[in-house]
Amino acid sequence: MFPGSEIYGGFAGTYDWGPLGTELRRNVVNEWTEVMQSHDNMAFLDSSIFTAAKVWEASGHISGFSDPMVVCNHCHTKFRADHLLDAIGVVADEKMTEKQINAIFDEHRTKLRCPVCGKKDFGKVVAKSLLATSTLGRFEDEDEEVYLRGETAQGIFINYKNVLASGMYSIPFGIAQVGKAFRNEISPRQFLFRKREFEQMEMQYFVSPKEAPEAYEEWRKERMAYYDRLGVKKEKLRWKQHENLVFYAKDAWDIQYEYPFGWNELEGVHYRGDYDLSQHQKFSGVDMTYYDEKTKERYIPNVVETSVGVDRTVLMLLADAYDEDEMNGEARVVLRFKPNIAPVKVAVFPLLKNKPELVKKAREVFTELKKEIRPMVFDDNGNIGKRYRRQDEIGTPYCVTIDFDTLENDTVTVRDRDTGKQERVKIGELATRLKKDILNQ
Ligand code: GAP
């Protein structure tokens, strides 16, 4: 990942995915998508980023989606009030109301020092809207202010009737979407953890009010179990219930991960009741009710939401997979990604760069294997030990080396990243063997 607009000094809260990061990100999205596809009542959606202001008025984001901001009266630097409190060990959270956080801030005011100028002179805590805006229009004087979506979920709510009208789904069913979301975070920080432009993988499950509590429990179980599929260490994950509910939630739990900077939210599983559909019905005038043929009842469906960021997942996977150990008497850094997560699946090397017959054979093996396994890399730079280290550092599970024995008996060595063990495998069996290992783990 590179800082956004890096050659111009960077642009806070944005990062650009590099070649390996793009693969990592894609693997994360694919795993999530596959899990959602495994449900037979799941629709997928790709809604717009630019959205009419009415959507955010109805959803409550214009009036209620904000961060608590406080300004130092001396040096005029702006801070997140909850972060300042956090730094002195006082628990406050971003979801508290302006009144609640002001009360806590006032109680501890005498202990709070500006991290920039050192003075103890802060103003009142005010709610700063998180919605990012832009303008659209034919002429400048006709431009209207529009919102970039603050969560992908609203795109799902405003299309719930369209999806139903397709005739392919009936309650209970889910709508899943992966897409960019934008938030004007006051203090984007902790690398990928808090960005201004990030990607969400959200699923809204539309269910009858009666069945909603059970569905909520089922989804909570499923979402925690999902992290096993990504190979995340169990002891680094835990549940945390929200004490202060966001305006749309009836109940909310976070799956937290123990990041290098402490336990923090990875995914939210929220019971949103009929809040969103009722609001859109009120503001748009469109009937959002559903007639349930099974129960002969008409109701506004309730919604169970699962919402996780691609960026936070990638940050977790990097932290979780990072390891330092010793192999053959040498210290090494290794990313122990599960093969389904690793950005590169297999690397192919000729033992020596200056032996044309080895390089030719290695190229042949690489080209053939690449028809079945991707992404792969070919590397003939430096000695073989250095090449192994390079692949260990990016988490490549297997390295295939073509040596002089290959020319004699058509076998290659396959080296396992975690154990360093090497095995001779026939070229004819290579693709099947590797695919089995990569897909079955
Ligand atoms: N639709 C519900 C919703 O948006 P949220 O708790 O505000 O709820 C859901 O966000 C998830 O989106 C979070 O658990 C996190 O993974 C991700 N996320 C939220 N804000 C983010 C940010 N500024 N940078 C990166 N990821 C973020």
Side-chain angles (χ1 to χ4, degrees):
M1 275 65 71
F2 310 119
S5 313
E6 193 178 13
I7 63 165
Y8 293 102
F11 195 56
T14 66
Y15 287 90
D16 297 341
W17 298 98
L20 295 170
T22 305
E23 297 299 342
L24 194 49
R25 179 207 153 277
R26 200 198 322 275
N27 293 339
V28 165
V29 171
N30 286 350
E31 289 301 321
W32 185 88
T33 305
E34 267 182 35
V35 165
M36 290 301 163
Q37 279 171 336
S38 71
H39 290 264
D40 50 15
N41 55 351
M42 190 61 66
F44 283 80
L45 185 79
D46 193 354
S47 68
S48 306
I49 284 173
F50 283 134
T51 16
K54 275 275 176 217
V55 173
W56 305 101
E57 207 183 310
S59 70
H61 282 77
I62 291 182
S63 56
F65 190 49
S66 56
D67 268 350
M69 186 191 69
V70 70
V71 184
C72 168
N73 287 332
H74 191 75
C75 70
H76 308 295
T77 313
K78 298 179 175 81
F79 297 96
R80 280 267 301 262
D82 54 325
H83 291 170
L84 291 176
L85 288 164
D86 220 28
I88 59 161
V90 176
V91 182
D93 81 49
E94 57 198 334
K95 281 145 190 162
M96 284 179 170
T97 63
E98 204 176 86
K99 201 168 157 202
Q100 282 171 322
I101 200 149
N102 262 302
I104 299 183
F105 202 85
D106 284 343
E107 197 185 325
H108 300 278
R109 197 170 270 283
T110 52
K111 285 185 269 161
L112 291 163
R113 209 176 267 288
C114 171
V116 174
C117 70
K119 291 275 186 293
K120 289 181 177 175
D121 186 11
F122 288 106
K124 243 179 100 62
V125 181
V126 290
K128 156 88 175 61
S129 173
L130 280 171
L131 284 178
T133 57
S134 183
T135 51
L136 288 179
R138 283 182 309 161
F139 302 104
E140 244 168 62
D141 61 346
E142 284 181 15
D143 278 358
E144 57 171 321
E145 197 173 55
V146 292
Y147 293 93
L148 275 66
R149 61 185 179 201
E151 59 170 4
T152 53
Q154 293 306 320
I156 290 179
F157 296 128
I158 60 174
N159 280 292
Y160 138 84
K161 279 254 133 174
N162 290 336
V163 174
L164 264 185
S166 73
M168 293 165 68
Y169 304 92
S170 55
I171 297 273
F173 75 105
I175 305 182
Q177 168 162 238
V178 179
K180 288 275 172 87
F182 304 84
R183 290 184 192 176
N184 202 353
E185 301 278 356
I186 305 166
S187 51
R189 58 179 201 167
Q190 284 142 344
F191 189 30
L192 303 176
F193 187 81
R194 199 176 300 282
K195 294 168 72 187
R196 284 183 167 145
E197 177 183 333
F198 58 99
E199 196 151 20
Q200 289 188 314
M201 301 181 284
E202 294 202 300
M203 190 284 310
Q204 267 65 38
Y205 196 70
F206 297 86
V207 58
S208 73
K210 260 193 217 119
E211 288 170 328
E214 198 186 324
Y216 184 44
E217 284 314 307
E218 299 268 306
W219 276 107
R220 287 201 328 126
K221 266 192 231 138
E222 170 165 336
R223 291 311 298 158
M224 187 55 112
Y226 159 80
Y227 290 102
D228 210 27
R229 189 182 163 112
L230 306 192
V232 183
K233 295 186 188 93
K234 276 201 174 62
E235 67 276 16
K236 294 264 185 182
L237 292 165
R238 72 176 185 195
W239 282 109
K240 175 107 179 20
Q241 190 171 21
H242 286 204
E243 280 160 27
N244 298 288
L245 291 173
V246 261
F247 55 92
Y248 54 71
K250 279 190 162 174
D251 188 17
W253 286 80
D254 285 343
I255 297 178
Q256 290 191 329
Y257 178 77
E258 193 178 14
Y259 290 95
F261 43 84
W263 288 97
N264 225 317
E265 176 183 346
L266 163 69
E267 163 156 2
V269 184
H270 311 135
Y271 179 24
R272 293 179 79 131
D274 65 4
Y275 173 82
D276 302 272
L277 293 183
S278 297
Q279 286 292 105
H280 287 302
Q281 173 166 292
K282 196 163 116 195
F283 277 73
S284 69
V286 173
D287 176 14
M288 294 285 175
T289 60
Y290 176 83
Y291 182 71
D292 195 324
E293 294 287 354
K294 281 183 292 181
T295 61
K296 310 286 175 221
E297 283 171 312
R298 182 168 283 283
Y299 52 76
I300 292 185
N302 276 209
V303 169
V304 172
E305 163 184 80
T306 74
S307 174
V308 58
V310 175
D311 312 80
R312 280 192 197 179
T313 307
V314 168
L315 182 60
M316 166 187 70
L317 290 170
L318 286 169
D320 210 64
Y322 185 90
D323 200 8
E324 293 172 9
D325 69 0
E326 208 175 88
M327 192 168 271
N328 306 328
E330 245 185 80
R332 70 165 184 165
V333 166
V334 54
L335 284 177
R336 298 191 192 279
F337 286 135
K338 241 181 141 175
N340 57 342
I341 298 302
V344 174
K345 309 295 180 203
V346 178
V348 174
F349 315 143
L351 181 65
L352 299 167
K353 189 183 181 169
N354 57 2
K355 296 285 174 212
E357 63 279 28
L358 289 184
V359 176
K360 184 168 171 268
K361 187 72 182 171
R363 276 276 168 208
E364 276 171 25
V365 171
F366 176 70
T367 308
E368 275 310 299
L369 212 51
K370 211 172 167 197
K371 288 180 187 159
E372 308 214 31
I373 299 171
R374 286 180 296 274
M376 279 185 35
V377 295
F378 182 89
D379 189 3
D380 59 4
N381 265 320
N383 68 39
I384 197 89
K386 283 218 178 86
R387 292 183 223 158
Y388 283 148
R389 296 293 163 274
R390 262 202 297 275
Q391 295 306 319
D392 292 344
E393 271 184 17
I394 62 167
T396 307
Y398 302 102
C399 293
V400 171
T401 303
I402 282 73
D403 56 19
F404 291 106
D405 286 348
T406 314
L407 305 178
E408 301 281 311
N409 60 14
D410 253 6
T411 62
V412 294
T413 62
V414 175
R415 177 217 183 236
D416 181 288
R417 174 197 68 204
D418 294 330
T419 61
K421 281 210 182 103
Q422 300 190 13
E423 204 190 323
R424 284 211 84 85
V425 176
K426 287 205 179 96
I427 291 178
E429 293 168 8
L430 195 57
T432 320
R433 278 288 304 281
L434 287 172
K435 262 171 52 181
K436 190 168 164 277
D437 290 343
I438 289 167
L439 296 175
N440 275 1
Q441 271 192 352

